[in-house]
Amino acid sequence: MSNPIQPVRGMNDILPEQIVLWQHLEQVARGVLEAYGYEELRVPIIEHTELFKRSIGEYTDIVEKEMYTFQDLGGDSLTLRPEATAGIVRAAISNGLLRGQRHKLWCSGPMFRHERPQKGRYRQFYQIDVEAIGYAGPDVDAELIALSARLWRELKLDGVRLTINSLGTPASRLSYRERLIAYFRAQEQALDEDSRRRLLGNPLRILDSKNPEMRELIEAAPLLTDFLDEESRLHFDALRSALDSLGIPYTLNPRLVRGLDYYSRTVFEWVTDELGAQDAVCSGGRYDGLVVQLGGEATPAIGFALGVERVVALLQQAGNAPAARRPDVYLVVSGERAEREALRLAERLRDALPGRGVWLNLGGGNFKTQFRRADRSGARIALILGDEELERGVAGVKTLRGVGGQIDCPLALLPERIAALL
Ligand code: HAM
């Protein structure tokens, strides 16, 4: 035997027992999103590298060191998407969706970032990504947050908390940027290598540093909130009073700058204490400048993405797993003729009982083995078809849960009898 091939580090297999939780989340999310008028779209997993450089920003962790970038056989530089917003905005522009129109869109699927894997942080991870493109807010900002709050309620997750901030307009950020450069330059010897490089390129990213040695310096840095322009302040005030009137509690976090460059004004994160270091389960914000940056007409927009693995972990910890799907009927078979007939009988039952789970015993086995399999499957009813039953035109019907013996039932009446028992 040759050595088994290992999975790629940071990339997970999602096995059937976990899929139940994934499907539950997807189903609840789809229901909530549709109720708020969001439409699903699907965009490619691979885009031109340039798309992410122009949107996420050259001086971000993602673009500087986390992208899966490669040259394809035609010599183009392509990248596995590290997030979905850039691709969705690109798709809206490419397909002419934005000509005088606005769209509420959502998309789900895998994203790729070459981060250091740990609990809750993977190199392939899934997001449910929600975007409202063409909406200036602040009403949509509040509604998006209400939508996410509803998701937590429907998923029965009460341990997630909302933090919000406003990043202002690019103009107000520019004056803040100058102030920040002056502040960090005065302390240049205390900066780590990453921060020194970012000082001129993108000093706001220094605030994002995860290096504990930088914490004190960052905490004493000037606050963006003090540089907000009047319009952004009004926008933010309106969002806050909408959240108050909706009864959605939040904390203001003036240090929340987010790891992607396209944001302006509203940014927010839903965080939890229950997952350790990777505490953000859902995050997003407004990106009014991105459509223009990617070659479209000026279009305001806002969105968020939910980290599926992290929300699934919360569901698991909370014990909010729905029961796994069990078959309704398990068909036990014995004898050559019966085996041939059983495939057809199972198909007839599936026709007659749409939506019901009918599992046929496959691969033979004596009665004891087959009944063990039937029991393990969780089926409510076992049907027994042997050559002898076939001869008489009946099947044995046995309830596997609760009391009740075995009775014979004419084959033609089986659907009725089964329906009555379920
Ligand atoms: P993000 O904050 O980079 O934003 O990611 C959104 C969420 O994805 C995070 O809150 C987290 O739950 C999850 N996540 C991120 N990285 C990982 C990872 N390595 N492993 C597991 N989960 C992860 C965005 O991606 C923006 N596109 C969100 C957005 C949409 N903003 C506007 N529209």
Side-chain angles (χ1 to χ4, degrees):
M1 254 196 324
S2 53
N3 285 339
I5 293 174
Q6 298 301 315
V8 178
R9 192 162 126 79
M11 309 215 172
N12 298 312
D13 303 307
I14 319 299
L15 299 179
E17 65 188 73
Q18 295 160 289
I19 283 292
V20 182
L21 287 167
W22 284 62
Q23 289 173 340
H24 176 56
L25 168 57
E26 284 158 7
Q27 200 182 344
V28 170
R30 180 180 291 273
V32 170
L33 287 163
E34 283 175 0
Y36 280 75
Y38 284 79
E39 296 176 298
E40 184 176 0
L41 88 166
R42 298 184 190 189
V43 291
I45 285 173
I46 297 176
E47 298 274 358
H48 291 289
T49 305
E50 183 61 21
L51 173 69
F52 301 115
K53 286 193 178 164
R54 251 157 80 177
S55 52
I56 298 170
E58 299 245 18
Y59 294 95
T60 55
D61 275 352
I62 296 180
V63 171
E64 276 185 340
K65 45 192 180 195
E66 295 172 359
M67 295 211 298
Y68 283 88
T69 295
F70 61 97
Q71 232 182 34
D72 77 354
L73 295 177
D76 289 336
S77 176
L78 303 180
T79 294
L80 292 184
R81 64 180 181 196
E83 59 106 51
T85 311
I88 293 175
V89 170
R90 197 268 314 132
I93 298 170
S94 308
N95 293 284
L97 299 187
L98 299 179
R99 289 191 202 112
Q101 293 174 60
R102 35 195 214 164
H103 292 275
K104 293 197 261 179
L105 302 168
W106 71 275
C107 152
S108 76
M111 311 293 154
F112 302 84
R113 295 184 194 174
H114 196 273
E115 296 191 76
R116 209 157 43 78
Q118 55 172 255
K119 183 177 174 235
R121 189 165 72 195
Y122 310 107
R123 290 182 173 173
Q124 173 174 325
F125 60 96
Y126 285 71
Q127 286 185 344
I128 294 176
D129 185 282
V130 183
E131 311 290 354
I133 307 179
Y135 294 81
D139 52 359
V140 71
D141 306 24
E143 195 191 62
L144 259 185
I145 289 174
L147 183 162
S148 40
R150 182 173 301 278
L151 253 180
W152 314 135
R153 279 202 304 281
E154 294 210 3
L155 292 167
K156 301 192 175 55
L157 294 176
D158 46 20
V160 280
R161 292 173 285 105
L162 175 65
T163 62
I164 60 173
N165 191 22
S166 175
L167 300 182
T169 59
S172 64
R173 254 199 332 276
L174 212 59
S175 41
Y176 175 62
R177 184 176 183 274
E178 275 160 27
R179 182 65 179 282
L180 210 56
I181 291 177
Y183 169 80
F184 282 123
R185 195 170 264 154
Q187 328 244 5
E188 206 164 341
Q189 70 298 343
L191 296 181
D192 63 9
E193 202 192 310
D194 267 354
S195 306
R196 230 170 267 162
R197 201 181 51 247
R198 288 173 178 178
L199 184 55
L200 288 178
N202 193 346
L204 259 79
R205 284 280 77 79
I206 299 178
L207 302 175
D208 233 19
S209 166
K210 307 277 183 310
N211 182 352
E213 284 166 24
M214 295 279 301
R215 192 171 302 146
E216 223 173 287
L217 194 61
I218 289 171
E219 262 162 28
L223 287 180
L224 177 53
T225 330
D226 297 332
F227 289 77
L228 278 194
D229 55 286
E230 187 57 16
E231 250 184 81
S232 298
R233 191 181 305 282
L234 289 174
H235 188 112
F236 198 44
D237 287 347
L239 168 64
R240 291 176 59 183
S241 66
L243 292 177
D244 290 339
S245 82
L246 288 166
I248 300 175
Y250 58 86
T251 43
L252 286 179
N253 177 1
R255 304 271 168 217
L256 182 64
V257 290
R258 309 274 299 120
L260 307 96
D261 277 355
Y262 50 62
Y263 291 112
S264 54
R265 293 196 173 148
T266 309
V267 288
F268 61 95
E269 268 182 14
W270 289 93
V271 292
T272 173
D273 297 327
E274 290 159 35
L275 294 179
Q278 303 309 314
D279 62 352
V281 292
C282 173
S283 23
R286 180 158 281 288
Y287 50 93
D288 293 338
L290 183 59
V291 181
V292 165
Q293 234 168 290
L294 294 180
E297 283 168 28
T299 309
I302 182 167
F304 69 77
L306 166 162
V308 174
E309 285 82 354
R310 295 184 190 176
V311 176
V312 163
L314 286 180
L315 288 172
Q316 190 148 23
Q317 272 172 241
N320 293 357
R325 179 103 207 265
R326 301 272 171 230
D328 298 292
V329 175
Y330 193 101
L331 183 48
V332 167
V333 193
S334 143
E336 246 173 65
R337 266 192 66 214
E339 264 177 31
R340 274 199 306 275
E341 186 52 33
L343 269 168
R344 294 200 312 143
L345 174 62
E347 284 301 311
R348 280 209 306 278
L349 291 176
R350 289 171 185 133
D351 287 341
L353 299 163
R356 292 294 187 186
V358 177
W359 287 15
L360 169 62
N361 183 75
L362 298 170
N366 61 28
F367 265 132
K368 198 169 155 213
T369 309
Q370 293 196 40
F371 268 104
R372 199 177 323 117
R373 288 179 189 151
D375 213 39
R376 219 179 282 148
S377 76
R380 310 252 301 275
I381 297 170
L383 291 186
I384 301 105
L385 189 70
D387 283 349
E388 188 262 328
E389 279 87 358
L390 201 55
E391 199 70 39
R392 289 192 286 129
V394 300
V397 179
K398 184 173 163 55
T399 46
L400 294 174
R401 304 274 171 268
V403 285
Q406 181 176 329
I407 50 153
D408 282 344
C409 172
L411 292 176
L413 298 181
L414 273 178
E416 247 171 74
R417 174 59 55 86
I418 292 169
L421 286 173
L422 288 174

